[in-house]
Amino acid sequence: MALPISHPLQRYSVSGYQETDLPSGAVAWSANLLRYGQSFGLVTDHGDGRPCDWTFTDDGYGAEFLAAAAGLHPDAEDPGAVLVDRLVTIRALNSLDQVAYCLDGDAFEERGEHRLADPGRTFLEVRRDLAALGPGRNARIWDKGASAMVPVTSPEA
């Protein structure tokens, strides 16, 4: 089921995501923040363990974004960064030509690890094959309509 347009995962998106590998092994990153497709800010993580730097062209939208992030991720140390990470994942997986999925042992939530079905395989074909693996594999498939990895329960589901 698709989320309502007012939901933060529908209202916000990112563009221009860039990563830089640092000599320490950490990764610095930045992304433009969009609200209903219109730019309203920039977020930068310098990869040094400090909180992200936020620059907003509209302070009201910036406050709204950070409040939405805190509402979605109340236990996170930096909820804005968690929301941006989720938005980057959504953008990347929704733009794939192949079907993404994950199984038990894949660290999708922690590191975005996922697998890709063979090119040309449809969502329904992959879901059917994953369901045939049985319940012990914890198969999940990327549903572009929901912008989320959803559980695969049965071939008919």
Side-chain angles (χ1 to χ4, degrees):
M1 171 189 285
L3 296 170
I5 192 72
S6 61
H7 191 282
L9 294 178
Q10 293 286 31
R11 185 176 359 162
Y12 300 111
S13 59
V14 294
S15 68
Y17 178 79
Q18 297 180 41
E19 288 185 350
T20 303
D21 293 325
L22 302 175
S24 66
V27 176
W29 56 266
S30 66
N32 296 310
L33 301 170
L34 308 173
R35 181 181 185 274
Y36 295 120
Q38 299 297 312
S39 178
F40 74 94
L42 174 73
V43 58
T44 303
D45 183 318
H46 298 283
D48 57 7
R50 291 181 294 145
C52 291
D53 288 334
W54 302 90
T55 305
F56 299 113
T57 57
D58 183 301
D59 290 336
Y61 289 158
E64 177 188 281
F65 175 83
L66 294 174
L72 288 174
H73 306 287
D75 298 328
E77 186 175 314
D78 188 350
V82 174
L83 179 52
V84 169
D85 185 52
R86 226 169 138 190
L87 294 171
V88 168
T89 299
I90 288 169
R91 182 178 179 96
L93 293 182
N94 279 349
S95 68
L96 290 174
D97 289 335
Q98 292 169 263
V99 177
Y101 66 96
C102 58
L103 302 172
D104 249 358
D106 295 339
F108 179 75
E109 286 77 13
E110 298 84 8
R111 295 187 299 276
E113 290 178 2
H114 61 279
R115 302 164 192 236
L116 294 175
D118 291 335
R121 303 284 319 280
T122 68
F123 177 88
L124 294 175
E125 290 170 338
V126 175
R127 185 178 68 182
R128 183 191 63 234
D129 292 347
L130 292 171
L133 295 175
R137 299 298 306 266
N138 190 27
R140 292 172 290 152
I141 189 168
W142 184 258
D143 182 335
K144 291 181 181 184
S147 291
M149 280 288 180
V150 297
V152 176
T153 53
S154 71
E156 299 81 34

